[in-house]
C-alpha cells in the first residue's frame, strides 16, 4: 500500500492567516483561513504593520483549529510547508518563524514554498495535472503565464511589466469610491454595464506574452477626471464593463496563443482575479473552441489559503527539497 503523506501548510504573505493539512498532495483534510479584510478596508488597502500584528494574534488559534478540524495530531504530520515569499516581509516573517519554531520543537522537516506555486497547486486539489501545462496567474500582486513541463518546474514565459491585473482592478475601484478589495465590485458592476468606452489594450511587441496594465489604468482615471470636469454623465457600470473588457481581452488572447504555441495538455488559472466572472466566461468560451482542457478552481481556492501551500509543499517534500532552520522570508522570491 502507498505511504500516506500529511503536510501542514502555513500562509501569511498578505492579509490572510491560514493553516491547512493536506493528504497525499491532493486531499484537503482541513483548511482554515482567518481574513483581515475588515481591518484594512477603511484604509483602502492592506496596511503592512496591521497585517503583521493580526498574523501574530491569529497564527496559533488558526493552527489549533486546523488540527481540530482534521482530527489529527503532530504524530501524523510528515513535514511543515510555509510560504517563504513573495509578499509583505513583515507578514511573511510571522509564518516563517512560526513554521521554524514548530519544525524545531516537533522535529519535522521544513519546506519553503513560493506563493505563486501555491496558487498553481490549488488546482491540483481539484484535478490531477497534465504536462506540459500552462498556468495563468492573476492576483493582486502578480500577472504571469507560467509553463510547467513537470511537477515543481516553473518557466515564466510572460509577466506584467508594471501593475498586476488585480492591482489595476483595485485602483480603478478606488477611483469609483468602491470598497477594498475592488475586484469583486468592478466585476459586479461590469455585468450590468455596456462596453461603450474604447480603452487601450497593451499587446506589446509581436510574440510577447508579457502584460502591461498601467496605461489602461491611466486611461480609465483620465476618462473619469475629464467627465467630472466637464460635468458629463458617466455610468460607472459602463466604465467597469469597458475596463474589464480590455483586461479580459488581453489576458485571454495571450493565454490561448501561449497554450497553442507550447502545445500544452492543460491550462489552469490561479489567483484572486480568477474569481472574476467575466474572465471565467471568456476563458471557457475561447478554450471550448480549442481541444485544450481548461481548469479553473472554485472561488474558495482562488484567493489566498494554506491548502494550496501544503499542496505545492508536498511536491517539494516528495522531491527531497528541504529548507532547514536558516529559512528566511524573501519578499522578492523568484519562481523557478
Ligand atoms: O490572490 P489574491 O487573494 O491575493 C494576492 O496574492 O494578491 O488576489 C487578490 C486580488 C485583489 O486585487 C482583488 O481585487 C482581486 O484579486 N479579485 C478580483 C475578484 N475577486 C478578487 N478581481 C476581479 N474580479 C473579481 N471577482
Ligand atoms: Zn495570492
Amino acid at each position: 500500500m502507498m505511504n500516506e503523506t500529511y503536510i501542514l501548510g502555513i500562509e501569511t504573505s498578505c492579509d490572510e492567516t491560514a493553516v491547512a493539512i493536506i493528504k497525499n498532495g491532493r486531499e484537503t483534510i482541513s483548511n482554515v483561513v482567518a481574513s483581515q479584510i475588515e481591518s484594512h478596508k477603511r484604509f483602502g488597502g492592506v496596511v503592512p504593520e496591521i497585517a503583521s500584528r493580526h498574523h501574530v494574534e491569529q497564527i496559533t488559534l488558526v493552527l489549533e483549529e486546523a488540527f481540530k478540524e482534521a482530527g489529527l495530531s503532530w504524530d501524523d504530520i510528515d513535514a511543515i510547508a510555509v510560504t517563504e515569499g513573495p509578499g509583505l516581509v513583515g507578514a511573511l516573517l510571522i509564518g516563517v518563524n512560526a513554521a521554524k519554531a514548530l519544525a524545531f520543537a516537533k522535529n519535522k522537516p521544513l519546506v519553503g514554498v513560493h506563493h505563486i506555486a501555491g496558487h498553481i497547486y490549488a488546482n491540483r486539489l481539484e484535478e490531477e495535472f497534465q504536462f506540459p501545462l500552462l498556468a495563468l496567474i492573476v492576483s493582486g500582486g502578480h500577472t504571469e503565464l507560467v509553463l510547467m513541463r513537470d511537477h515543481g518546474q516553473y518557466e515564466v514565459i510572460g509577466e506584467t511589466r508594471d501593475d498586476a491585473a488585480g492591482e489595476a482592478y483595485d485602483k480603478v475601484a478606488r477611483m469609483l469610491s468602491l470598497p477594498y478589495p475592488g475586484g469583486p465590485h468592478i466585476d459586479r458592476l461590469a455585468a450590468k454595464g455596456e462596453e461603450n468606452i474604447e480603452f487601450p489594450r497593451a499587446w506589446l511587441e509581436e510574440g510577447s506574452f508579457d502584460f502591461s496594465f498601467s496605461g489602461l489604468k491611466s486611461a480609465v482615471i483620465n476618462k473619469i477626471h475629464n467627465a467630472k470636469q466637464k460635468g458629463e454623465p458617466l455610468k460607472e457600470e459602463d466604465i467597469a464593463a469597458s475596463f474589464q473588457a480590455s483586461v479580459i481581452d488581453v489576458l485571454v488572447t495571450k493565454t490561448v496563443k501561449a497554450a497553442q504555441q507550447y502545445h500544452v495538455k492543460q491550462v489552469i488559472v490561479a489567483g484572486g482575479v480568477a474569481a472574476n466572472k467575466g474572465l471565467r466566461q471568456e476563458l471557457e468560451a475561447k478554450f471550448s473552441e480549442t481541444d485544450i482542457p481548461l481548469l479553473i478552481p472554485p472561488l474558495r481556492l482562488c484567493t489566498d489559503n494554506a491548502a494550496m501551500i501544503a499542496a505545492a509543499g508536498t511536491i517539494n517534500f516528495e522531491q527531497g527539497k528541504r529548507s532547514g532552520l536558516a529559512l528566511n522570508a524573501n519578499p522578492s522570491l523568484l519562481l523557478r
Side-chain angles (χ1 to χ4, degrees):
M1 209 182 83
M2 197 179 97
N3 260 351
E4 288 178 345
T5 307
Y6 288 92
I7 305 291
L8 178 92
I10 300 178
E11 152 67 37
T12 65
S13 69
C14 191
D15 59 350
E16 338 273 350
T17 316
V19 179
I21 298 172
I22 295 294
K23 180 179 168 183
N24 298 335
R26 300 208 44 216
E27 196 180 321
T28 306
I29 305 300
S30 66
N31 187 15
V32 183
V33 181
S35 173
Q36 317 173 351
I37 283 187
E38 286 307 315
S39 305
H40 298 286
K41 248 184 188 162
R42 62 194 161 116
F43 302 106
V46 176
V47 183
E49 288 78 5
I50 295 177
S52 305
R53 182 136 36 91
H54 275 291
H55 287 311
V56 172
E57 286 166 7
Q58 292 295 320
I59 188 77
T60 47
L61 299 171
V62 175
L63 180 71
E64 276 172 24
E65 186 63 29
F67 272 106
K68 210 169 112 193
E69 209 176 84
L72 295 174
S73 76
W74 275 105
D75 288 342
D76 303 307
I77 303 298
D78 293 287
I80 301 170
V82 62
T83 308
E84 59 173 311
L88 302 168
V89 69
L92 287 165
L93 273 170
I94 311 301
V96 167
N97 283 322
K100 280 167 40 168
L102 291 166
F104 180 71
K106 308 292 179 188
N107 195 24
K108 302 286 178 187
L110 181 65
V111 180
V113 173
H114 192 286
H115 183 77
I116 296 303
H119 273 301
I120 292 174
Y121 272 87
N123 286 273
R124 197 175 175 238
L125 296 166
E126 292 292 308
E127 220 173 292
E128 185 54 285
F129 285 174
Q130 307 295 329
F131 299 108
L133 165 166
L134 180 71
L136 169 68
I137 296 111
V138 274
S139 74
H142 296 268
T143 305
E144 277 160 34
L145 278 169
V146 177
L147 182 69
M148 290 179 70
R149 297 182 198 275
D150 205 345
H151 280 300
Q153 289 184 16
Y154 310 95
E155 198 182 316
V156 180
I157 61 165
E159 63 194 325
T160 183
R161 296 186 183 169
D162 38 62
D163 293 351
E167 202 177 344
Y169 266 97
D170 293 339
K171 285 180 181 161
V172 167
R174 205 172 167 159
M175 270 306 289
L176 295 173
S177 310
L178 296 166
Y180 173 84
H185 297 281
I186 300 275
D187 195 5
R188 181 175 46 77
L189 286 176
K192 293 191 279 187
E194 261 182 67
E195 196 200 314
N196 53 14
I197 309 165
E198 192 68 31
F199 285 132
R201 281 132 170 88
W203 297 110
L204 307 173
E205 317 83 67
E206 179 70 30
S208 170
F209 292 121
D210 278 352
F211 301 97
S212 166
F213 294 106
S214 69
L216 168 63
K217 177 192 68 188
S218 304
V220 176
I221 291 173
N222 286 339
K223 185 86 194 167
I224 299 172
H225 267 306
N226 290 344
K228 268 187 194 157
Q229 264 176 355
K230 292 184 195 153
E232 281 173 7
L234 252 192
K235 278 177 73 185
E236 33 176 50
E237 290 87 351
D238 295 349
I239 298 173
S242 306
F243 160 77
Q244 177 150 307
S246 169
V247 175
I248 292 175
D249 191 6
V250 177
L251 286 176
V252 175
T253 304
K254 292 205 178 207
T255 305
V256 172
K257 216 169 177 184
Q260 288 169 334
Q261 185 172 318
Y262 287 93
H263 302 290
V264 301
K265 293 214 176 79
Q266 192 177 44
V267 171
I268 65 176
V269 190
V273 184
N276 188 274
K277 288 196 196 71
L279 177 62
R280 296 168 90 97
Q281 275 164 14
E282 188 64 14
L283 281 168
E284 269 155 17
K286 285 283 150 40
F287 275 99
S288 72
E289 294 167 9
T290 72
D291 52 5
I292 308 167
L294 171 75
L295 187 57
I296 308 181
L299 293 190
R300 71 193 149 79
L301 291 174
C302 288
T303 46
D304 289 351
N305 64 82
M308 68 185 201
I309 300 304
T314 304
I315 296 297
N316 292 356
F317 177 70
E318 285 170 350
Q319 294 180 340
K321 295 175 189 159
R322 302 287 182 272
S323 295
L325 295 178
L327 181 69
N328 201 359
N330 182 352
S332 45
L333 186 68
L334 293 176
L335 181 63
R336 56 179 159 218

